[in-house]
């Protein structure tokens, strides 16, 4: 059993810390307030290779493993979740292309993302399709050598800044079984009939772009279909282990960042003639926060490591995601409590962490869905 | 053209710290690549990217623990690294300029670079003398506190701009081979890319002892001893007001009147 990180992984962590401290932290409050996408920071991050780091080296990425990307996500999220998500989400959807794409598709779609020239996205959720993915109603119909896409997608990360989206569409309405008849089709945002409406007023991760996508007779060439026609549901499900480990890492990062801020504040803030970190009430809070964060981290790393080994980790990935996202919310809550009144305004980052944490319990499968998955695996039931 | 860059892992100190004897207590110390060296590395890597240099080699004096820091330079584009360490160095409290010079000059003799870049100083010991002292010993030309370097290096000449006191700058032509001590701000050091970090793990990092270099152990003993370490007493206070000029100007005015500066 080996719990250590490699020298390379430690070096990645340190360089990401340097980048975040210098480039992200000074601008985090402004991007949160203005609810705008941090294009310049994303460009710099792309130069460093933080965008699409899991894309294979032959397509311009760094070829990083799930555990490597988990470490990067943890570090970036510990400084600012909104900007971190903006950076890491630039390659959303590319996992399907990496796994199921043809050589031509990989060159067309992966290379510009790895180079930071294009931003991708994944479009699954719809106004009436959240946790029940099989209810997707956006449809794609074959017309000659083109697909014609119609429908709406909701809560789509990078919606107004993305260059292309991997869209989950119903391609065979007559297919038997609720998981059959779906395909993943790439829709470029410059196609006629494509429209994106930015969603504003989000509680947290406000630097990250979110939008509703509207497809009105959008025509794309048939070679934009990724993998096997009508088999996308199973294709999609394969990535949940890795992506849930990724969201678990976000939770660990948020908890780590909230703890870091709380520790600093507790040592600086003086009341009754001493710093409040001298009070046992505060010390116990800090101790619990640190312990919970470490537990979430270990669960997350274990899940990521197993993904990397090619093991079946559905249960473990869901456990990590559920536990780490809950830890993020709880630790951010206690961190704010330690700040007292100062934590209730955005003079300190903790107010932002508190708002940002909540999304990790919602996206990529809600807490309730994760528990369903864990229970199903425990009880040996299929899905 | 070959460029050799001297690099060092330096101690960093937290804002609040305590002194124990002649050292800062361990729990307040961290480590990082010397800031000035980061600029020297960037300058060398840019020269390589511009096709002026063929090879960039870094050299450091330090224990195995510092390898991770030294690999930062490899991740940013240096081709290989040399680390000098020896049992004889373990017990040395303070490695002075003479000792560093004795070691580095042998490395330079073996590598025979056209250009040696050092940082102006190290962030912890701040001797500020290693580069110049090396040049003197090697009979190389030198320029200190360089904040601009022309990248053509035509006819074996390095055209440099040096920072003098009081905002004055000087333009100088230096004949190669030369030692240049590099000032911060000469460029904008890059972040190591993820691919660079990966590649750095496979780049050569050669470890040499004093014996390998032919340096006598007595050379590292040095003539300087650290006798005391203390925080200088502050002779004045600083008052900082937070808020807009509108809100704080009158408070500043009052303070200036109190201190007798303003009527």
């Amino acid at each position: 059993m080996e719990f250590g990180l490699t020298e390379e992984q430690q070096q990645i962590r340190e360089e990401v810390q340097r980048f975040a401290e210098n480039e992200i932290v000074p601008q985090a409050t402004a991007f949160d307030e203005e609810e705008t996408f941090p294009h310049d920071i994303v460009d710099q991050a792309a130069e460093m290779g933080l965008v699409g780091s899991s894309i294979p080296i032959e397509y311009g990425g760094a070829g990083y493993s799930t555990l490597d990307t988990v470490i990067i996500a943890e570090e970036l999220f510990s400084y600012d979740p909104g900007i971190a998500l903006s950076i890491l989400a630039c390659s959303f959807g590319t996992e399907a292309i990496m796994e199921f794409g043809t050589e031509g598709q990989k060159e067309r779609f992966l290379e510009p993302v790895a180079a930071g020239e294009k931003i991708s996205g994944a479009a699954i959720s719809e106004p009436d399709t959240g946790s029940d993915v099989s209810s997707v109603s956006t449809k794609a119909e074959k017309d000659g050598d083109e697909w014609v896409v119609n429908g709406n997608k909701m809560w789509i990360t990078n919606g107004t800044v993305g260059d292309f989206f991997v869209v989950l569409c119903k391609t065979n309405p007559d297919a038997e079984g609720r998981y059959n008849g779906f395909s993943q089709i790439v829709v470029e945002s410059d196609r006629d009939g494509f429209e994106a409406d930015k969603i504003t007023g989000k509680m947290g991760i406000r630097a990250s772009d979110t939008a509703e996508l509207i497809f009105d007779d959008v025509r794309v060439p048939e070679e934009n279909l990724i993998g096997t026609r009508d088999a996308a549901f199973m294709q999609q499900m394969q990535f949940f282990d890795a992506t849930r480990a990724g969201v678990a890492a976000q939770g660990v990062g948020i908890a780590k960042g909230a703890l870091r801020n709380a520790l600093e504040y507790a040592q600086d803030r003086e009341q009754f003639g001493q710093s409040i970190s001298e009070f046992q009430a505060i010390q116990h809070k800090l101790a619990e926060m640190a312990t919970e964060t470490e537990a979430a981290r270990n669960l997350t790393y274990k899940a990521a490591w197993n993904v990397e080994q090619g093991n079946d980790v559905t249960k473990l990935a869901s456990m990590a995601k559920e536990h780490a996202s809950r830890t993020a919310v709880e630790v951010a809550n206690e961190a704010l409590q330690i700040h007292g009144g100062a934590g209730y305004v955005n003079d300190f980052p903790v107010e932002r962490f508190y708002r940002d944490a909540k999304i990790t319990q919602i996206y990529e499968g809600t807490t309730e869905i994760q528990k369903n998955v864990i229970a199903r695996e425990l009880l040996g039931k299929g899905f | 053209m070959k460029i050799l860059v001297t690099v060092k892992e330096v101690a960093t100190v937290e804002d609040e710290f305590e002194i124990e004897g002649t050292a800062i207590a361990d729990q307040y110390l961290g480590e990082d690549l010397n800031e000035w060296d980061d600029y020297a590395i960037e300058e060398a890597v840019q020269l390589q990217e511009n096709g002026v240099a063929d090879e960039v080699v870094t050299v450091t004096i330090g224990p195995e623990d510092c390898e991770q820091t030294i690999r930062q330079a490899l991740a940013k584009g240096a081709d290989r690294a040399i680390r000098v360490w020896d049992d004889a160095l373990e017990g040395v409290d303070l490695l002075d300029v003479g000792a560093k010079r004795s070691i580095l000059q042998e490395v330079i003799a073996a590598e025979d670079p056209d250009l040696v870049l050092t940082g102006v100083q190290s962030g912890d010991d701040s001797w500020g003398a290693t580069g110049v002292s090396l040049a003197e010993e090697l009979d190389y030309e030198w320029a200190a506190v360089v904040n601009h370097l022309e990248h053509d290096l035509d006819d074996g000449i390095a055209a440099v701009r040096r920072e003098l006191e009081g905002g004055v700058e000087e333009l100088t032509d230096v004949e190669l081979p030369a030692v240049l001590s590099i000032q911060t701000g000469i460029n904008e050091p890059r972040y190591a890319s993820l691919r660079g970090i990966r590649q750095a793990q496979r780049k050569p990092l050669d470890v040499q002892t004093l014996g390998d270099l032919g340096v006598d152990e007595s050379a590292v003993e040095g003539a300087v001893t650290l006798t005391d370490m203390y925080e200088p007493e502050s002779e004045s206070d600083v008052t900082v007001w937070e808020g807009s000029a509108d809100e704080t100007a009158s408070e500043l005015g009052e303070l200036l009147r109190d201190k007798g500066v303003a009527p």
Side-chain angles (χ1 to χ4, degrees), chain A residues 125-149:
Chain A
S125 296
E126 299 184 355
D128 298 319
T129 300
S131 296
D132 180 11
V133 178
S134 68
S135 67
V136 158
S137 65
T138 294
K139 60 179 187 208
E141 289 168 305
K142 200 70 185 288
D143 181 25
D145 54 4
E146 289 180 320
W147 288 102
V148 184
V149 183

PDB file of all heavy atoms in Angstrom, chain A residues 125-149:
ATOM      1  N   SER A 125     -28.287  17.743 -19.539  1.00  0.00           N
ATOM      2  CA  SER A 125     -29.520  18.156 -18.855  1.00  0.00           C
ATOM      3  C   SER A 125     -30.434  18.971 -19.760  1.00  0.00           C
ATOM      4  O   SER A 125     -29.986  19.670 -20.663  1.00  0.00           O
ATOM      5  CB  SER A 125     -29.193  18.991 -17.621  1.00  0.00           C
ATOM      6  OG  SER A 125     -28.489  18.224 -16.689  1.00  0.00           O
ATOM      7  N   GLU A 126     -31.733  18.856 -19.477  1.00  0.00           N
ATOM      8  CA  GLU A 126     -32.736  19.632 -20.208  1.00  0.00           C
ATOM      9  C   GLU A 126     -33.685  20.241 -19.190  1.00  0.00           C
ATOM     10  O   GLU A 126     -33.666  19.874 -18.011  1.00  0.00           O
ATOM     11  CB  GLU A 126     -33.498  18.707 -21.170  1.00  0.00           C
ATOM     12  CG  GLU A 126     -32.579  18.073 -22.194  1.00  0.00           C
ATOM     13  CD  GLU A 126     -33.321  17.222 -23.228  1.00  0.00           C
ATOM     14  OE1 GLU A 126     -34.550  17.041 -23.098  1.00  0.00           O
ATOM     15  OE2 GLU A 126     -32.636  16.749 -24.157  1.00  0.00           O
ATOM     16  N   PRO A 127     -34.554  21.150 -19.646  1.00  0.00           N
ATOM     17  CA  PRO A 127     -35.496  21.743 -18.689  1.00  0.00           C
ATOM     18  C   PRO A 127     -36.260  20.658 -17.904  1.00  0.00           C
ATOM     19  O   PRO A 127     -36.510  20.818 -16.714  1.00  0.00           O
ATOM     20  CB  PRO A 127     -36.423  22.559 -19.575  1.00  0.00           C
ATOM     21  CG  PRO A 127     -35.569  22.955 -20.746  1.00  0.00           C
ATOM     22  CD  PRO A 127     -34.647  21.793 -20.972  1.00  0.00           C
ATOM     23  N   ASP A 128     -36.599  19.569 -18.565  1.00  0.00           N
ATOM     24  CA  ASP A 128     -37.344  18.507 -17.886  1.00  0.00           C
ATOM     25  C   ASP A 128     -36.511  17.254 -17.644  1.00  0.00           C
ATOM     26  O   ASP A 128     -37.042  16.191 -17.335  1.00  0.00           O
ATOM     27  CB  ASP A 128     -38.581  18.124 -18.722  1.00  0.00           C
ATOM     28  CG  ASP A 128     -39.524  19.308 -18.863  1.00  0.00           C
ATOM     29  OD1 ASP A 128     -39.715  20.028 -17.852  1.00  0.00           O
ATOM     30  OD2 ASP A 128     -40.028  19.543 -19.973  1.00  0.00           O
ATOM     31  N   THR A 129     -35.194  17.363 -17.831  1.00  0.00           N
ATOM     32  CA  THR A 129     -34.331  16.197 -17.658  1.00  0.00           C
ATOM     33  C   THR A 129     -33.166  16.553 -16.761  1.00  0.00           C
ATOM     34  O   THR A 129     -32.235  17.252 -17.171  1.00  0.00           O
ATOM     35  CB  THR A 129     -33.781  15.712 -19.022  1.00  0.00           C
ATOM     36  OG1 THR A 129     -34.879  15.367 -19.846  1.00  0.00           O
ATOM     37  CG2 THR A 129     -32.879  14.507 -18.848  1.00  0.00           C
ATOM     38  N   GLY A 130     -33.234  16.132 -15.508  1.00  0.00           N
ATOM     39  CA  GLY A 130     -32.138  16.355 -14.583  1.00  0.00           C
ATOM     40  C   GLY A 130     -31.518  15.029 -14.242  1.00  0.00           C
ATOM     41  O   GLY A 130     -30.780  14.438 -15.034  1.00  0.00           O
ATOM     42  N   SER A 131     -31.881  14.518 -13.070  1.00  0.00           N
ATOM     43  CA  SER A 131     -31.313  13.244 -12.627  1.00  0.00           C
ATOM     44  C   SER A 131     -31.737  12.074 -13.526  1.00  0.00           C
ATOM     45  O   SER A 131     -30.994  11.109 -13.689  1.00  0.00           O
ATOM     46  CB  SER A 131     -31.756  12.966 -11.192  1.00  0.00           C
ATOM     47  OG  SER A 131     -31.231  13.955 -10.333  1.00  0.00           O
ATOM     48  N   ASP A 132     -32.930  12.163 -14.104  1.00  0.00           N
ATOM     49  CA  ASP A 132     -33.412  11.086 -14.975  1.00  0.00           C
ATOM     50  C   ASP A 132     -32.909  11.306 -16.399  1.00  0.00           C
ATOM     51  O   ASP A 132     -33.606  11.839 -17.260  1.00  0.00           O
ATOM     52  CB  ASP A 132     -34.938  11.036 -14.941  1.00  0.00           C
ATOM     53  CG  ASP A 132     -35.498   9.924 -15.838  1.00  0.00           C
ATOM     54  OD1 ASP A 132     -34.699   9.085 -16.307  1.00  0.00           O
ATOM     55  OD2 ASP A 132     -36.719   9.917 -16.061  1.00  0.00           O
ATOM     56  N   VAL A 133     -31.658  10.883 -16.621  1.00  0.00           N
ATOM     57  CA  VAL A 133     -31.005  11.149 -17.903  1.00  0.00           C
ATOM     58  C   VAL A 133     -31.757  10.484 -19.066  1.00  0.00           C
ATOM     59  O   VAL A 133     -31.781  10.987 -20.185  1.00  0.00           O
ATOM     60  CB  VAL A 133     -29.528  10.664 -17.862  1.00  0.00           C
ATOM     61  CG1 VAL A 133     -28.841  10.877 -19.202  1.00  0.00           C
ATOM     62  CG2 VAL A 133     -28.766  11.422 -16.779  1.00  0.00           C
ATOM     63  N   SER A 134     -32.413   9.368 -18.775  1.00  0.00           N
ATOM     64  CA  SER A 134     -33.066   8.632 -19.863  1.00  0.00           C
ATOM     65  C   SER A 134     -34.289   9.364 -20.426  1.00  0.00           C
ATOM     66  O   SER A 134     -34.874   8.922 -21.413  1.00  0.00           O
ATOM     67  CB  SER A 134     -33.471   7.243 -19.380  1.00  0.00           C
ATOM     68  OG  SER A 134     -34.501   7.357 -18.419  1.00  0.00           O
ATOM     69  N   SER A 135     -34.663  10.486 -19.818  1.00  0.00           N
ATOM     70  CA  SER A 135     -35.824  11.213 -20.326  1.00  0.00           C
ATOM     71  C   SER A 135     -35.441  12.307 -21.325  1.00  0.00           C
ATOM     72  O   SER A 135     -36.261  13.159 -21.665  1.00  0.00           O
ATOM     73  CB  SER A 135     -36.613  11.819 -19.160  1.00  0.00           C
ATOM     74  OG  SER A 135     -35.854  12.828 -18.532  1.00  0.00           O
ATOM     75  N   VAL A 136     -34.179  12.295 -21.789  1.00  0.00           N
ATOM     76  CA  VAL A 136     -33.722  13.305 -22.755  1.00  0.00           C
ATOM     77  C   VAL A 136     -34.654  13.345 -23.974  1.00  0.00           C
ATOM     78  O   VAL A 136     -35.011  12.312 -24.535  1.00  0.00           O
ATOM     79  CB  VAL A 136     -32.276  12.987 -23.215  1.00  0.00           C
ATOM     80  CG1 VAL A 136     -31.956  13.646 -24.554  1.00  0.00           C
ATOM     81  CG2 VAL A 136     -31.275  13.445 -22.155  1.00  0.00           C
ATOM     82  N   SER A 137     -35.083  14.566 -24.331  1.00  0.00           N
ATOM     83  CA  SER A 137     -36.012  14.664 -25.455  1.00  0.00           C
ATOM     84  C   SER A 137     -35.443  15.424 -26.651  1.00  0.00           C
ATOM     85  O   SER A 137     -36.063  15.475 -27.703  1.00  0.00           O
ATOM     86  CB  SER A 137     -37.320  15.322 -24.996  1.00  0.00           C
ATOM     87  OG  SER A 137     -37.063  16.661 -24.619  1.00  0.00           O
ATOM     88  N   THR A 138     -34.266  16.038 -26.491  1.00  0.00           N
ATOM     89  CA  THR A 138     -33.625  16.666 -27.650  1.00  0.00           C
ATOM     90  C   THR A 138     -33.402  15.568 -28.682  1.00  0.00           C
ATOM     91  O   THR A 138     -32.842  14.518 -28.369  1.00  0.00           O
ATOM     92  CB  THR A 138     -32.280  17.303 -27.253  1.00  0.00           C
ATOM     93  OG1 THR A 138     -32.540  18.384 -26.362  1.00  0.00           O
ATOM     94  CG2 THR A 138     -31.523  17.830 -28.466  1.00  0.00           C
ATOM     95  N   LYS A 139     -33.876  15.825 -29.917  1.00  0.00           N
ATOM     96  CA  LYS A 139     -33.775  14.731 -30.877  1.00  0.00           C
ATOM     97  C   LYS A 139     -32.907  15.117 -32.066  1.00  0.00           C
ATOM     98  O   LYS A 139     -32.766  16.300 -32.402  1.00  0.00           O
ATOM     99  CB  LYS A 139     -35.167  14.300 -31.351  1.00  0.00           C
ATOM    100  CG  LYS A 139     -35.939  15.393 -32.031  1.00  0.00           C
ATOM    101  CD  LYS A 139     -37.283  14.893 -32.497  1.00  0.00           C
ATOM    102  CE  LYS A 139     -37.910  16.009 -33.323  1.00  0.00           C
ATOM    103  NZ  LYS A 139     -39.296  16.101 -33.373  1.00  0.00           N
ATOM    104  N   ALA A 140     -32.288  14.111 -32.642  1.00  0.00           N
ATOM    105  CA  ALA A 140     -31.504  14.308 -33.861  1.00  0.00           C
ATOM    106  C   ALA A 140     -32.025  13.339 -34.907  1.00  0.00           C
ATOM    107  O   ALA A 140     -32.143  12.146 -34.649  1.00  0.00           O
ATOM    108  CB  ALA A 140     -30.024  14.048 -33.583  1.00  0.00           C
ATOM    109  N   GLU A 141     -32.384  13.902 -36.072  1.00  0.00           N
ATOM    110  CA  GLU A 141     -32.921  13.054 -37.140  1.00  0.00           C
ATOM    111  C   GLU A 141     -31.976  13.081 -38.319  1.00  0.00           C
ATOM    112  O   GLU A 141     -31.419  14.134 -38.655  1.00  0.00           O
ATOM    113  CB  GLU A 141     -34.303  13.566 -37.563  1.00  0.00           C
ATOM    114  CG  GLU A 141     -35.379  13.311 -36.520  1.00  0.00           C
ATOM    115  CD  GLU A 141     -36.669  14.077 -36.812  1.00  0.00           C
ATOM    116  OE1 GLU A 141     -36.610  15.311 -36.962  1.00  0.00           O
ATOM    117  OE2 GLU A 141     -37.707  13.422 -36.902  1.00  0.00           O
ATOM    118  N   LYS A 142     -31.818  11.942 -38.935  1.00  0.00           N
ATOM    119  CA  LYS A 142     -30.916  11.845 -40.089  1.00  0.00           C
ATOM    120  C   LYS A 142     -31.629  12.396 -41.320  1.00  0.00           C
ATOM    121  O   LYS A 142     -32.773  12.051 -41.605  1.00  0.00           O
ATOM    122  CB  LYS A 142     -30.542  10.365 -40.287  1.00  0.00           C
ATOM    123  CG  LYS A 142     -29.287  10.124 -41.101  1.00  0.00           C
ATOM    124  CD  LYS A 142     -28.027  10.550 -40.336  1.00  0.00           C
ATOM    125  CE  LYS A 142     -26.791  10.423 -41.204  1.00  0.00           C
ATOM    126  NZ  LYS A 142     -26.397   9.033 -41.440  1.00  0.00           N
ATOM    127  N   ASP A 143     -30.938  13.305 -42.032  1.00  0.00           N
ATOM    128  CA  ASP A 143     -31.476  13.819 -43.288  1.00  0.00           C
ATOM    129  C   ASP A 143     -30.330  13.795 -44.289  1.00  0.00           C
ATOM    130  O   ASP A 143     -29.433  14.652 -44.233  1.00  0.00           O
ATOM    131  CB  ASP A 143     -32.012  15.244 -43.078  1.00  0.00           C
ATOM    132  CG  ASP A 143     -32.601  15.807 -44.376  1.00  0.00           C
ATOM    133  OD1 ASP A 143     -33.028  15.008 -45.246  1.00  0.00           O
ATOM    134  OD2 ASP A 143     -32.609  17.048 -44.524  1.00  0.00           O
ATOM    135  N   GLY A 144     -30.314  12.808 -45.167  1.00  0.00           N
ATOM    136  CA  GLY A 144     -29.190  12.653 -46.084  1.00  0.00           C
ATOM    137  C   GLY A 144     -27.939  12.325 -45.299  1.00  0.00           C
ATOM    138  O   GLY A 144     -27.934  11.409 -44.483  1.00  0.00           O
ATOM    139  N   ASP A 145     -26.863  13.136 -45.500  1.00  0.00           N
ATOM    140  CA  ASP A 145     -25.637  12.871 -44.743  1.00  0.00           C
ATOM    141  C   ASP A 145     -25.484  13.862 -43.576  1.00  0.00           C
ATOM    142  O   ASP A 145     -24.380  14.147 -43.153  1.00  0.00           O
ATOM    143  CB  ASP A 145     -24.412  12.896 -45.669  1.00  0.00           C
ATOM    144  CG  ASP A 145     -24.320  14.188 -46.470  1.00  0.00           C
ATOM    145  OD1 ASP A 145     -25.175  15.086 -46.232  1.00  0.00           O
ATOM    146  OD2 ASP A 145     -23.428  14.300 -47.328  1.00  0.00           O
ATOM    147  N   GLU A 146     -26.626  14.357 -43.106  1.00  0.00           N
ATOM    148  CA  GLU A 146     -26.577  15.293 -41.980  1.00  0.00           C
ATOM    149  C   GLU A 146     -27.501  14.840 -40.851  1.00  0.00           C
ATOM    150  O   GLU A 146     -28.471  14.122 -41.079  1.00  0.00           O
ATOM    151  CB  GLU A 146     -27.018  16.695 -42.432  1.00  0.00           C
ATOM    152  CG  GLU A 146     -26.019  17.400 -43.332  1.00  0.00           C
ATOM    153  CD  GLU A 146     -26.517  18.786 -43.747  1.00  0.00           C
ATOM    154  OE1 GLU A 146     -27.721  18.943 -44.041  1.00  0.00           O
ATOM    155  OE2 GLU A 146     -25.694  19.705 -43.761  1.00  0.00           O
ATOM    156  N   TRP A 147     -27.166  15.327 -39.638  1.00  0.00           N
ATOM    157  CA  TRP A 147     -28.078  15.192 -38.506  1.00  0.00           C
ATOM    158  C   TRP A 147     -28.778  16.538 -38.317  1.00  0.00           C
ATOM    159  O   TRP A 147     -28.135  17.575 -38.399  1.00  0.00           O
ATOM    160  CB  TRP A 147     -27.336  14.840 -37.219  1.00  0.00           C
ATOM    161  CG  TRP A 147     -26.809  13.436 -37.185  1.00  0.00           C
ATOM    162  CD1 TRP A 147     -25.527  13.031 -37.389  1.00  0.00           C
ATOM    163  CD2 TRP A 147     -27.578  12.259 -36.916  1.00  0.00           C
ATOM    164  NE1 TRP A 147     -25.427  11.667 -37.276  1.00  0.00           N
ATOM    165  CE2 TRP A 147     -26.668  11.161 -36.980  1.00  0.00           C
ATOM    166  CE3 TRP A 147     -28.924  12.004 -36.630  1.00  0.00           C
ATOM    167  CZ2 TRP A 147     -27.081   9.849 -36.772  1.00  0.00           C
ATOM    168  CZ3 TRP A 147     -29.326  10.698 -36.413  1.00  0.00           C
ATOM    169  CH2 TRP A 147     -28.411   9.625 -36.489  1.00  0.00           C
ATOM    170  N   VAL A 148     -30.072  16.485 -38.070  1.00  0.00           N
ATOM    171  CA  VAL A 148     -30.822  17.714 -37.782  1.00  0.00           C
ATOM    172  C   VAL A 148     -31.246  17.658 -36.324  1.00  0.00           C
ATOM    173  O   VAL A 148     -31.990  16.755 -35.910  1.00  0.00           O
ATOM    174  CB  VAL A 148     -32.058  17.836 -38.693  1.00  0.00           C
ATOM    175  CG1 VAL A 148     -32.768  19.161 -38.436  1.00  0.00           C
ATOM    176  CG2 VAL A 148     -31.655  17.711 -40.159  1.00  0.00           C
ATOM    177  N   VAL A 149     -30.718  18.612 -35.538  1.00  0.00           N
ATOM    178  CA  VAL A 149     -30.925  18.575 -34.087  1.00  0.00           C
ATOM    179  C   VAL A 149     -31.966  19.597 -33.671  1.00  0.00           C
ATOM    180  O   VAL A 149     -31.924  20.761 -34.094  1.00  0.00           O
ATOM    181  CB  VAL A 149     -29.588  18.850 -33.342  1.00  0.00           C
ATOM    182  CG1 VAL A 149     -29.774  18.749 -31.833  1.00  0.00           C
ATOM    183  CG2 VAL A 149     -28.509  17.883 -33.823  1.00  0.00           C
TER     184      VAL A 149
END
